[in-house]
């Protein structure tokens, strides 16, 4: 009888261990690996249709991407605080009003997120700089950390641009989606005085918040358990945690003016996250909600309103000349 009981306990324990290992394997392959590693291959037609939501917007981006690729842009490279080679391209303006550093979003590219906005900045008289975020494009890296480590890269790009162009130039930091969260997190550093403002377009508040939102959107059961297991992989493989840092911690000490932007029909990053960031920000701030804009498309949805608001922000906080 005792042997039978021991056998049953062993079988139950083995089954429990197998279930736990199966669950963690599922989390790794369903959540962690697709979301934290480098994207490979081109976007499918279906993915592009969902992203742009409008053929005209996509065609506009393609034309402006061609403009960027045919420009006399200059490659530059820095080494991150943790030893990665990070790459950016910049296009100097002969009579620059300032410099705009533009940080793209999750598993995206500088031109996919910024080609048209970058062209607008350049034609408005600004030198533009478009880095590849770590673990994207030409930049090195193994894992995406949703702004936690990327914020240090923003700090270092700011230093590099000031070393090259001098601190007498206005410097603006524009981020979109994960790039927005990244630049907001970077606002927690003591940024140089010539960083005149941050343009924060459709960013989230924390890795935990956006991942939990995505898990719930997919209607996956045990969302919190998935998040906990995913955090295990983040800690042990990517050397960060989902709660290590967030935009609120940065905005608590930030003194740089911020223009917050979000589309009202964004179903990827909820507009409520930008509103929460706006409400938490104690620095000079402005909020622009673009009606009917989906994720990261506000510029295309209402270019006149977007650029009017942006021009006013740039004019208001530029260094006196």
């Amino acid at each position: 009888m005792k042997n039978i009981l021991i056998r049953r306990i062993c079988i139950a324990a083995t089954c429990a261990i197998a279930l736990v290992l199966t669950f963690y394997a599922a989390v790794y392959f369903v959540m962690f690996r697709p979301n934290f590693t480098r994207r490979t291959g081109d976007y499918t037609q279906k993915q592009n249709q969902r992203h742009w939501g409008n053929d005209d917007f996509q065609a506009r981006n393609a034309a402006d991407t061609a403009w960027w690729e045919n420009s006399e842009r200059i490659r530059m490279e820095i080494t991150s605080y943790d030893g990665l080679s990070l790459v950016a391209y910049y296009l100097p303006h002969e009579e620059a009003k300032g410099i705009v550093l533009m940080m793209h979003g999750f598993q995206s590219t500088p031109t996919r997120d910024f080609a048209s906005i970058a062209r607008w900045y350049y034609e408005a008289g600004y030198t533009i700089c478009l880095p590849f975020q770590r673990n994207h494009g030409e930049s090195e890296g193994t894992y995406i950390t949703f702004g936690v480590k990327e914020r240090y890269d923003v700090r270092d790009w700011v230093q590099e641009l000031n070393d090259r162009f001098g601190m007498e130039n206005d410097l603006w930091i524009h981020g979109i989606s994960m790039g927005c969260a990244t630049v907001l997190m970077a606002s927690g550093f003591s940024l140089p005085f010539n960083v005149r403002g941050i343009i924060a377009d459709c960013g989230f508040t924390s890795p935990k918040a956006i991942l939990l939102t995505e898990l719930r959107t997919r209607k996956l059961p045990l969302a919190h358990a998935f998040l906990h297991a995913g955090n295990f992989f983040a800690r042990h493989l990517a050397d960060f945690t989902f709660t290590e840092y967030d935009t609120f911690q940065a905005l608590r000490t930030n003194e740089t003016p911020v223009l917050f932007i979000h589309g009202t029909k964004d179903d990827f990053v909820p507009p409520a996250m930008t509103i929460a960031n706006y409400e938490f920000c104690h620095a000079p701030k402005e909020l622009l909600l673009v009606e009917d804009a989906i994720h990261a498309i506000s510029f295309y949805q209402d270019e006149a309103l977007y650029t009017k608001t942006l021009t006013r922000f740039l004019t208001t906080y530029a260094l006196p000349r």
Side-chain angles (χ1 to χ4, degrees), residues 24-222:
Y24 270 78
V27 171
Y28 179 80
F29 287 105
V30 173
M31 176 190 176
F32 186 80
R33 186 173 179 81
N35 292 299
F36 291 82
T37 57
R38 183 184 296 268
R39 176 183 175 80
T40 58
D42 296 330
Y43 285 93
T44 66
Q45 182 179 357
K46 184 177 181 180
Q47 288 171 325
N48 280 328
Q49 287 175 340
R50 172 170 169 74
H51 175 76
W52 296 105
N54 183 302
D55 290 341
D56 290 339
F57 296 167
Q58 186 175 354
R60 166 77 180 282
N61 177 266
D64 292 331
T65 295
W67 165 82
W68 170 253
E69 292 176 347
N70 291 324
S71 70
E72 296 182 0
R73 65 194 192 283
I74 301 168
R75 188 180 191 273
M76 65 177 175
E77 187 175 343
I78 62 172
T79 300
S80 71
Y81 78 98
D82 53 351
L84 300 177
S85 171
L86 304 177
V87 174
Y89 287 85
Y90 70 92
L91 181 60
H93 197 287
E94 290 185 0
E95 299 179 357
K97 299 178 182 177
I99 304 164
V100 186
L101 173 65
M102 312 178 78
M103 304 303 293
H104 68 78
F106 169 73
Q107 292 186 335
S108 189
T109 68
T111 52
R112 183 176 172 85
D113 287 347
F114 280 124
S116 297
I117 306 175
R119 185 170 187 174
W120 179 86
Y121 272 122
Y122 184 77
E123 292 177 351
Y126 293 87
T127 290
I128 51 178
C129 177
L130 279 67
F132 289 99
Q133 292 244 45
R134 59 171 56 213
N135 197 37
H136 291 76
E138 296 181 35
S139 291
E140 292 181 344
T142 305
Y143 296 106
I144 298 168
T145 68
F146 289 77
V148 173
K149 292 186 178 182
E150 289 85 351
R151 74 188 195 271
Y152 293 96
D153 303 336
V154 172
R155 177 200 64 184
D156 294 344
W157 281 122
V158 166
Q159 183 62 53
E160 177 66 19
L161 289 169
N162 277 338
D163 288 345
R164 288 187 180 229
F165 295 101
M167 294 182 66
E168 65 274 14
N169 292 284
D170 290 350
L171 183 54
W172 309 88
I173 310 175
H174 192 144
I176 198 164
S177 192
M178 189 189 83
C180 171
T182 298
V183 302
L184 288 177
M185 291 184 196
S187 74
F189 295 117
S190 181
L191 297 173
F193 73 91
N194 70 318
V195 177
R196 305 308 299 163
I198 294 170
I199 298 89
D201 191 336
C202 65
F204 50 81
T205 53
S206 71
K208 178 181 178 180
I210 191 58
L211 289 167
L212 188 57
T213 297
E214 182 64 12
L215 288 170
R216 287 171 171 168
T217 298
R218 296 182 184 182
K219 298 182 179 179
L220 288 174
L222 304 173

Side-chain angles (χ1 to χ4, degrees), residues 216-266:
R216 287 171 171 168
T217 298
R218 296 182 184 182
K219 298 182 179 179
L220 288 174
L222 304 173
H224 282 281
F226 257 77
L227 198 67
H228 180 78
N231 200 44
F232 169 85
F233 290 114
R235 181 187 299 111
H236 293 284
L237 296 180
D239 191 32
F240 85 107
T241 68
F242 298 163
T243 57
E244 179 177 333
Y245 203 72
D246 58 36
T247 59
F248 295 157
Q249 292 180 63
L251 291 170
R252 184 177 292 118
T253 59
N254 171 54
E255 297 179 353
T256 304
V258 185
L259 170 59
F260 294 93
I261 303 171
H262 215 116
T264 61
K265 287 191 175 179
D266 191 334

